[in-house]
mmCIF file of all heavy atoms in Angstrom:
data_model
loop_
_atom_site.group_PDB
_atom_site.id
_atom_site.type_symbol
_atom_site.label_atom_id
_atom_site.label_comp_id
_atom_site.label_asym_id
_atom_site.label_seq_id
_atom_site.Cartn_x
_atom_site.Cartn_y
_atom_site.Cartn_z
ATOM 1 N N ASN V 128 50.947 3.009 86.304
ATOM 2 C CA ASN V 128 49.751 3.519 85.666
ATOM 3 C C ASN V 128 48.850 4.081 86.751
ATOM 4 O O ASN V 128 48.079 3.369 87.360
ATOM 5 C CB ASN V 128 49.060 2.394 84.895
ATOM 6 C CG ASN V 128 47.883 2.903 84.120
ATOM 7 O OD1 ASN V 128 47.680 4.101 83.988
ATOM 8 N ND2 ASN V 128 47.086 1.983 83.596
ATOM 9 N N ARG V 129 48.982 5.379 86.997
ATOM 10 C CA ARG V 129 48.245 5.996 88.093
ATOM 11 C C ARG V 129 47.123 6.902 87.601
ATOM 12 O O ARG V 129 46.754 7.868 88.219
ATOM 13 C CB ARG V 129 49.181 6.759 89.017
ATOM 14 C CG ARG V 129 49.992 7.814 88.316
ATOM 15 C CD ARG V 129 50.957 8.470 89.248
ATOM 16 N NE ARG V 129 51.664 9.507 88.531
ATOM 17 C CZ ARG V 129 52.661 10.178 89.006
ATOM 18 N NH1 ARG V 129 53.090 9.930 90.219
ATOM 19 N NH2 ARG V 129 53.246 11.102 88.306
ATOM 20 N N GLY V 130 46.604 6.577 86.456
ATOM 21 C CA GLY V 130 45.493 7.339 85.910
ATOM 22 C C GLY V 130 45.193 6.881 84.508
ATOM 23 O O GLY V 130 45.820 5.962 83.989
ATOM 24 N N LYS V 131 44.242 7.501 83.891
ATOM 25 C CA LYS V 131 43.851 7.106 82.538
ATOM 26 C C LYS V 131 44.551 8.006 81.535
ATOM 27 O O LYS V 131 43.972 8.968 81.035
ATOM 28 C CB LYS V 131 42.343 7.184 82.389
ATOM 29 C CG LYS V 131 41.629 6.228 83.318
ATOM 30 C CD LYS V 131 40.220 6.017 82.875
ATOM 31 C CE LYS V 131 39.488 5.117 83.827
ATOM 32 N NZ LYS V 131 39.742 3.743 83.733
ATOM 33 N N PHE V 132 45.799 7.694 81.262
ATOM 34 C CA PHE V 132 46.571 8.435 80.278
ATOM 35 C C PHE V 132 46.819 7.520 79.092
ATOM 36 O O PHE V 132 47.262 6.386 79.249
ATOM 37 C CB PHE V 132 47.927 8.892 80.849
ATOM 38 C CG PHE V 132 47.794 9.891 81.952
ATOM 39 C CD1 PHE V 132 47.811 9.501 83.275
ATOM 40 C CD2 PHE V 132 47.634 11.230 81.653
ATOM 41 C CE1 PHE V 132 47.678 10.417 84.292
ATOM 42 C CE2 PHE V 132 47.503 12.162 82.669
ATOM 43 C CZ PHE V 132 47.530 11.752 83.987
ATOM 44 N N GLU V 133 46.544 8.026 77.911
ATOM 45 C CA GLU V 133 46.822 7.272 76.697
ATOM 46 C C GLU V 133 48.251 7.589 76.263
ATOM 47 O O GLU V 133 48.647 8.743 76.200
ATOM 48 C CB GLU V 133 45.849 7.649 75.582
ATOM 49 C CG GLU V 133 44.420 7.254 75.882
ATOM 50 C CD GLU V 133 44.249 5.746 76.020
ATOM 51 O OE1 GLU V 133 44.885 5.001 75.270
ATOM 52 O OE2 GLU V 133 43.475 5.336 76.901
ATOM 53 N N VAL V 134 49.014 6.547 76.004
ATOM 54 C CA VAL V 134 50.392 6.717 75.565
ATOM 55 C C VAL V 134 50.536 6.063 74.209
ATOM 56 O O VAL V 134 50.160 4.906 74.028
ATOM 57 C CB VAL V 134 51.380 6.063 76.565
ATOM 58 C CG1 VAL V 134 52.805 6.196 76.057
ATOM 59 C CG2 VAL V 134 51.231 6.691 77.930
ATOM 60 N N ASP V 135 51.033 6.827 73.232
ATOM 61 C CA ASP V 135 51.303 6.234 71.930
ATOM 62 C C ASP V 135 52.370 5.175 72.101
ATOM 63 O O ASP V 135 53.365 5.386 72.785
ATOM 64 C CB ASP V 135 51.803 7.297 70.941
ATOM 65 C CG ASP V 135 50.739 8.323 70.611
ATOM 66 O OD1 ASP V 135 49.546 7.982 70.688
ATOM 67 O OD2 ASP V 135 51.107 9.467 70.281
ATOM 68 N N GLN V 136 52.168 4.052 71.501
ATOM 69 C CA GLN V 136 53.150 2.977 71.600
ATOM 70 C C GLN V 136 54.301 3.273 70.647
ATOM 71 O O GLN V 136 54.341 2.797 69.530
ATOM 72 C CB GLN V 136 52.495 1.618 71.314
ATOM 73 C CG GLN V 136 51.516 1.202 72.380
ATOM 74 C CD GLN V 136 52.147 1.159 73.764
ATOM 75 O OE1 GLN V 136 53.235 0.644 73.943
ATOM 76 N NE2 GLN V 136 51.457 1.712 74.738
ATOM 77 N N ASP V 137 55.200 4.107 71.102
ATOM 78 C CA ASP V 137 56.384 4.506 70.354
ATOM 79 C C ASP V 137 57.304 3.297 70.211
ATOM 80 O O ASP V 137 57.594 2.609 71.183
ATOM 81 C CB ASP V 137 57.093 5.629 71.120
ATOM 82 C CG ASP V 137 58.239 6.237 70.350
ATOM 83 O OD1 ASP V 137 58.853 5.543 69.526
ATOM 84 O OD2 ASP V 137 58.524 7.417 70.594
#
Side-chain angles (χ1 to χ4, degrees):
N128 185 11
R129 57 184 182 187
K131 297 197 183 282
F132 294 96
E133 294 297 322
V134 177
D135 294 333
Q136 292 304 315
D137 187 331

